Amino acid sequence: MNFLNLNSESFGLDISDISLKIIKLKKNKGFLNKPDSLSLASFGEFKIKSGIITKGEIKDEKALLKIIKNAVLKVKGEKLKTNNVIVSLPEEKAFMQVIQMPKMKKEELKKAIYFEAENYIPIPIKDAYLDSQIVPAIYSHLDHLDVLIAAIPKKIVDPYVYCLKKAGLTPIAFEIESQAISRALIKKSISPVPVLLVDLGATRTSFMLFSGHSLRFTAFIPTSSKKLDEIISKTFKISLKEAEKIKTEYRFQRKTKKDKKIFKAILPWLDNLVSKIRKHLHFYNTHVTHEHISENKRMNIEKIIISGGGANLWELTDFLSQELKIKVEIGNPWINILPKPLKEVPELSYDKSLKYTTALGLALRGIESI
């Protein structure tokens, strides 16, 4: 969703119900035969108190405005010298779909998409901001166009615009979280085989199917990594901070009494996650047939990539892979930023950067447009 052309320096701003994250990247000019490279310029995470934003909807504009102003001034690294910002929009309030359109001129296509979107968006188009982009096919010369449409209610977006402008910032683009996440995790934003992205956030878990050049569908559930902290905290009667530490150090081998107790406590959470992933794998394999990524036929999902703060649960990838009988790996949000084999920077470790996946994807969009 663009409001202005992306032709100047900007930073990524990821706003969720419980936190605000900032990432700014910078270009480093190459020398001799070396190409230009990217590096981290500024970053920061700031808490948002409960009730200020609920399920992506701003409830207290004044409180959020204060947090944004403070965050911009207190980022780590280089001081922010630009007011231009690319901002995330809440996944749970958005609608996204790949549709087919006949080939036509650009001006005609824009009008046609607007009318066609009414068949897919469950709210009146006049009450939503609608954006679209043509999805290139990896294979075959098509007699039609695949178009990704994304929409979000104006009543959700407008308060974000108000808060940002009141904070002295210029929102040059808004982007649904799943779009930023896929840009950060999919190498060069292209996948010749279908991949399921699972983002284990603090307030919800998002599922994103990516194939070819585009997202195909997205979904989410209220189950979150923070729920694990609450379960462990209640089980051992300890603080949430202590519970989080135990969570990140936990091993699935269940050799000690403590490990067994933890596993028993979190097993319902794990079973629910596995069940939801199976559901989305089945949906894709049985319902999604229209894609242009193979010469012969649609491929099945071959890999799952997990991200978000919950991805740091030790050996979660091995557990999921064993249960689902499919390759599962932790994503690398630096894959399109840092050269191989680097996947972290001194200022921001790999584990911590998983929480910044959305912000990194937003910042990457900004730096690629300069």
Side-chain angles (χ1 to χ4, degrees), residues 87-100:
V87 189
S88 65
L89 290 174
E91 193 72 34
E92 62 261 61
K93 300 298 183 182
F95 310 99
M96 192 175 294
Q97 177 85 37
V98 174
I99 64 174
Q100 294 182 49

PDB file of all heavy atoms in Angstrom, residues 87-100:
ATOM      1  N   VAL A  87       5.890   1.325   7.330  1.00  0.00           N
ATOM      2  CA  VAL A  87       5.234   0.846   8.542  1.00  0.00           C
ATOM      3  C   VAL A  87       4.447  -0.440   8.302  1.00  0.00           C
ATOM      4  O   VAL A  87       3.819  -0.609   7.254  1.00  0.00           O
ATOM      5  CB  VAL A  87       4.265   1.928   9.080  1.00  0.00           C
ATOM      6  CG1 VAL A  87       3.739   1.550  10.454  1.00  0.00           C
ATOM      7  CG2 VAL A  87       4.955   3.286   9.132  1.00  0.00           C
ATOM      8  N   SER A  88       4.479  -1.336   9.279  1.00  0.00           N
ATOM      9  CA  SER A  88       3.705  -2.576   9.190  1.00  0.00           C
ATOM     10  C   SER A  88       2.247  -2.335   9.563  1.00  0.00           C
ATOM     11  O   SER A  88       1.935  -1.450  10.360  1.00  0.00           O
ATOM     12  CB  SER A  88       4.291  -3.637  10.131  1.00  0.00           C
ATOM     13  OG  SER A  88       4.148  -3.237  11.483  1.00  0.00           O
ATOM     14  N   LEU A  89       1.384  -3.118   8.966  1.00  0.00           N
ATOM     15  CA  LEU A  89      -0.038  -3.107   9.310  1.00  0.00           C
ATOM     16  C   LEU A  89      -0.414  -4.492   9.836  1.00  0.00           C
ATOM     17  O   LEU A  89       0.137  -5.501   9.389  1.00  0.00           O
ATOM     18  CB  LEU A  89      -0.885  -2.749   8.089  1.00  0.00           C
ATOM     19  CG  LEU A  89      -0.779  -1.293   7.618  1.00  0.00           C
ATOM     20  CD1 LEU A  89      -1.543  -1.099   6.312  1.00  0.00           C
ATOM     21  CD2 LEU A  89      -1.308  -0.328   8.679  1.00  0.00           C
ATOM     22  N   PRO A  90      -1.342  -4.557  10.782  1.00  0.00           N
ATOM     23  CA  PRO A  90      -1.657  -5.828  11.458  1.00  0.00           C
ATOM     24  C   PRO A  90      -2.240  -6.898  10.544  1.00  0.00           C
ATOM     25  O   PRO A  90      -3.195  -6.651   9.808  1.00  0.00           O
ATOM     26  CB  PRO A  90      -2.659  -5.414  12.539  1.00  0.00           C
ATOM     27  CG  PRO A  90      -3.265  -4.139  12.027  1.00  0.00           C
ATOM     28  CD  PRO A  90      -2.163  -3.442  11.291  1.00  0.00           C
ATOM     29  N   GLU A  91      -1.649  -8.079  10.621  1.00  0.00           N
ATOM     30  CA  GLU A  91      -2.067  -9.202   9.791  1.00  0.00           C
ATOM     31  C   GLU A  91      -3.527  -9.577  10.029  1.00  0.00           C
ATOM     32  O   GLU A  91      -4.258  -9.909   9.084  1.00  0.00           O
ATOM     33  CB  GLU A  91      -1.173 -10.414  10.097  1.00  0.00           C
ATOM     34  CG  GLU A  91      -1.293 -11.544   9.098  1.00  0.00           C
ATOM     35  CD  GLU A  91      -0.660 -11.210   7.760  1.00  0.00           C
ATOM     36  OE1 GLU A  91       0.354 -10.500   7.729  1.00  0.00           O
ATOM     37  OE2 GLU A  91      -1.202 -11.671   6.742  1.00  0.00           O
ATOM     38  N   GLU A  92      -3.971  -9.515  11.301  1.00  0.00           N
ATOM     39  CA  GLU A  92      -5.317  -9.971  11.619  1.00  0.00           C
ATOM     40  C   GLU A  92      -6.415  -9.065  11.078  1.00  0.00           C
ATOM     41  O   GLU A  92      -7.594  -9.431  11.080  1.00  0.00           O
ATOM     42  CB  GLU A  92      -5.493 -10.151  13.128  1.00  0.00           C
ATOM     43  CG  GLU A  92      -5.321  -8.887  13.943  1.00  0.00           C
ATOM     44  CD  GLU A  92      -3.953  -8.777  14.557  1.00  0.00           C
ATOM     45  OE1 GLU A  92      -2.978  -8.739  13.778  1.00  0.00           O
ATOM     46  OE2 GLU A  92      -3.852  -8.716  15.792  1.00  0.00           O
ATOM     47  N   LYS A  93      -6.042  -7.887  10.596  1.00  0.00           N
ATOM     48  CA  LYS A  93      -7.036  -6.963  10.045  1.00  0.00           C
ATOM     49  C   LYS A  93      -6.994  -6.895   8.522  1.00  0.00           C
ATOM     50  O   LYS A  93      -7.762  -6.159   7.906  1.00  0.00           O
ATOM     51  CB  LYS A  93      -6.804  -5.552  10.609  1.00  0.00           C
ATOM     52  CG  LYS A  93      -6.901  -5.453  12.127  1.00  0.00           C
ATOM     53  CD  LYS A  93      -8.280  -5.830  12.637  1.00  0.00           C
ATOM     54  CE  LYS A  93      -8.371  -5.661  14.144  1.00  0.00           C
ATOM     55  NZ  LYS A  93      -9.692  -6.061  14.677  1.00  0.00           N
ATOM     56  N   ALA A  94      -6.097  -7.665   7.915  1.00  0.00           N
ATOM     57  CA  ALA A  94      -5.873  -7.554   6.476  1.00  0.00           C
ATOM     58  C   ALA A  94      -6.519  -8.701   5.699  1.00  0.00           C
ATOM     59  O   ALA A  94      -6.818  -9.765   6.249  1.00  0.00           O
ATOM     60  CB  ALA A  94      -4.377  -7.517   6.188  1.00  0.00           C
ATOM     61  N   PHE A  95      -6.709  -8.473   4.403  1.00  0.00           N
ATOM     62  CA  PHE A  95      -7.228  -9.483   3.489  1.00  0.00           C
ATOM     63  C   PHE A  95      -6.271  -9.568   2.304  1.00  0.00           C
ATOM     64  O   PHE A  95      -5.894  -8.554   1.725  1.00  0.00           O
ATOM     65  CB  PHE A  95      -8.629  -9.107   3.005  1.00  0.00           C
ATOM     66  CG  PHE A  95      -9.579  -8.743   4.112  1.00  0.00           C
ATOM     67  CD1 PHE A  95      -9.821  -7.410   4.409  1.00  0.00           C
ATOM     68  CD2 PHE A  95     -10.209  -9.721   4.856  1.00  0.00           C
ATOM     69  CE1 PHE A  95     -10.692  -7.061   5.436  1.00  0.00           C
ATOM     70  CE2 PHE A  95     -11.077  -9.383   5.878  1.00  0.00           C
ATOM     71  CZ  PHE A  95     -11.316  -8.050   6.175  1.00  0.00           C
ATOM     72  N   MET A  96      -5.884 -10.793   1.947  1.00  0.00           N
ATOM     73  CA  MET A  96      -4.909 -10.959   0.871  1.00  0.00           C
ATOM     74  C   MET A  96      -5.307 -12.150   0.004  1.00  0.00           C
ATOM     75  O   MET A  96      -5.745 -13.181   0.502  1.00  0.00           O
ATOM     76  CB  MET A  96      -3.517 -11.166   1.470  1.00  0.00           C
ATOM     77  CG  MET A  96      -2.399 -11.065   0.458  1.00  0.00           C
ATOM     78  SD  MET A  96      -0.786 -11.187   1.264  1.00  0.00           S
ATOM     79  CE  MET A  96      -0.784  -9.688   2.225  1.00  0.00           C
ATOM     80  N   GLN A  97      -5.162 -12.008  -1.321  1.00  0.00           N
ATOM     81  CA  GLN A  97      -5.592 -13.066  -2.228  1.00  0.00           C
ATOM     82  C   GLN A  97      -4.896 -12.897  -3.573  1.00  0.00           C
ATOM     83  O   GLN A  97      -4.698 -11.777  -4.053  1.00  0.00           O
ATOM     84  CB  GLN A  97      -7.107 -12.971  -2.443  1.00  0.00           C
ATOM     85  CG  GLN A  97      -7.687 -13.959  -3.415  1.00  0.00           C
ATOM     86  CD  GLN A  97      -7.997 -15.289  -2.776  1.00  0.00           C
ATOM     87  OE1 GLN A  97      -8.419 -15.353  -1.636  1.00  0.00           O
ATOM     88  NE2 GLN A  97      -7.780 -16.355  -3.511  1.00  0.00           N
ATOM     89  N   VAL A  98      -4.507 -14.019  -4.190  1.00  0.00           N
ATOM     90  CA  VAL A  98      -4.003 -13.996  -5.567  1.00  0.00           C
ATOM     91  C   VAL A  98      -5.185 -14.297  -6.485  1.00  0.00           C
ATOM     92  O   VAL A  98      -5.864 -15.312  -6.327  1.00  0.00           O
ATOM     93  CB  VAL A  98      -2.887 -15.030  -5.785  1.00  0.00           C
ATOM     94  CG1 VAL A  98      -2.502 -15.082  -7.264  1.00  0.00           C
ATOM     95  CG2 VAL A  98      -1.665 -14.691  -4.941  1.00  0.00           C
ATOM     96  N   ILE A  99      -5.440 -13.400  -7.429  1.00  0.00           N
ATOM     97  CA  ILE A  99      -6.561 -13.567  -8.357  1.00  0.00           C
ATOM     98  C   ILE A  99      -6.053 -13.583  -9.801  1.00  0.00           C
ATOM     99  O   ILE A  99      -4.921 -13.168 -10.074  1.00  0.00           O
ATOM    100  CB  ILE A  99      -7.607 -12.449  -8.191  1.00  0.00           C
ATOM    101  CG1 ILE A  99      -6.999 -11.086  -8.555  1.00  0.00           C
ATOM    102  CG2 ILE A  99      -8.147 -12.431  -6.766  1.00  0.00           C
ATOM    103  CD1 ILE A  99      -8.011  -9.940  -8.546  1.00  0.00           C
ATOM    104  N   GLN A 100      -6.865 -14.063 -10.703  1.00  0.00           N
ATOM    105  CA  GLN A 100      -6.525 -14.066 -12.128  1.00  0.00           C
ATOM    106  C   GLN A 100      -7.256 -12.934 -12.838  1.00  0.00           C
ATOM    107  O   GLN A 100      -8.445 -12.709 -12.590  1.00  0.00           O
ATOM    108  CB  GLN A 100      -6.927 -15.389 -12.779  1.00  0.00           C
ATOM    109  CG  GLN A 100      -6.153 -16.591 -12.291  1.00  0.00           C
ATOM    110  CD  GLN A 100      -6.583 -17.841 -13.017  1.00  0.00           C
ATOM    111  OE1 GLN A 100      -6.671 -17.876 -14.239  1.00  0.00           O
ATOM    112  NE2 GLN A 100      -6.867 -18.897 -12.252  1.00  0.00           N
TER     113      GLN A 100
END
